[in-house]
Amino acid sequence: MAERWDRWGPLTGIAMVVLFLGAGVLTGNEPKPSASGATVIAFYGAHKGRLEVGGYLLGLAVVTGMFFYGYLREHIRVQEGSPRLAAISFGGVVIFALSGLVGAGTSLALAEAPGTLAPAAAQALNLMQNFLVAYAFNVGAAVLLIASGLAIVRGHSLPRWVGWLALVLALLAFVPLPNAGVPAVGVWTLVVGIVLLVRTRRADIMPAARTQVTV
């Protein structure tokens, strides 16, 4: 069972990115922070279906992401020899995941019954979506990318350029734009997921090749 998880674990990261992209396409044009409560209610009433689907996709992305980053945490702890950075990195993942769940929940709350919300309540939820959730996303992204990047650069398992890429992308988390850390995490997760997948495939091929040579 453990060997099978080692083989397929990296795919959960790729699945997370695909789900995040799907959620982003469906929910990417939400009202700006300056929108009035009436505008927010009208928007969510008009786009109820796609926003609900986007919220559920975001929840699924969080689930698959937790499995992937649990896999990555163990890799950093054992293979890269950085248990402390592995713990810090996963702390960033928890912040990132919680902000995703809050974002999905807020979007679903607005989309589920926008007509029953008072304009002030709708405006408050929209402000939370645009600022609180976005800020938490960026903080979680920064912690995840910096800790993971340092561990990989200092380690000896994954290529060091993967670690340097994480550190460079971490700078996006400090850009004063909503959800700037989301594409940074998405790009890096896709890259490290593919690198880990290729690595496990090579590990599977090498013993088989040795066996053939011995025979």
Side-chain angles (χ1 to χ4, degrees):
M1 184 69 180
E3 290 181 0
R4 184 176 298 178
W5 174 239
D6 287 341
R7 187 178 298 117
W8 297 108
L11 288 176
T12 57
I14 298 170
M16 186 208 83
V17 174
V18 172
L19 289 166
F20 253 126
L21 283 174
V25 168
L26 292 171
T27 63
N29 295 318
E30 294 173 336
K32 295 180 179 180
S34 58
S36 67
T39 301
V40 173
I41 291 172
F43 175 85
Y44 280 90
H47 304 286
K48 173 181 170 67
R50 71 174 178 86
L51 291 169
E52 285 180 335
V53 174
Y56 284 116
L57 287 180
L58 183 55
L60 288 173
V62 170
V63 172
T64 55
M66 291 300 290
F67 278 94
F68 174 72
Y69 293 121
Y71 176 92
L72 182 63
R73 175 188 179 181
E74 187 66 9
H75 172 87
I76 292 174
R77 187 182 72 83
V78 177
Q79 301 296 328
E80 305 295 348
S82 296
R84 185 173 300 172
L85 287 172
I88 296 171
S89 171
F90 199 74
V93 171
V94 172
I95 297 172
F96 194 80
L98 286 174
S99 62
L101 291 176
V102 172
T106 304
S107 182
L108 288 171
L110 285 162
E112 196 63 34
T116 64
L117 288 172
Q123 190 174 32
L125 287 171
N126 186 59
L127 285 170
M128 180 185 295
Q129 186 84 323
N130 279 276
F131 288 109
L132 176 62
V133 173
Y135 185 71
F137 261 132
N138 286 1
V139 170
V143 174
L144 164 64
L145 291 171
I146 292 171
S148 299
L150 288 174
I152 293 170
V153 168
R154 291 172 48 186
H156 50 75
S157 179
L158 291 180
R160 288 186 175 176
W161 65 263
V162 176
W164 286 114
L165 178 63
L167 294 174
V168 171
L169 289 174
L171 296 176
L172 289 177
F174 297 101
V175 174
L177 292 173
N179 298 327
V182 175
V185 169
V187 169
W188 189 75
T189 299
L190 186 62
V191 169
V192 76
I194 292 171
V195 170
L196 285 167
L197 187 64
V198 170
R199 182 175 174 272
T200 57
R201 291 296 177 271
R202 286 177 180 170
D204 288 341
I205 292 170
M206 288 175 64
R210 290 197 193 99
T211 301
Q212 291 177 359
V213 170
T214 302
V215 172

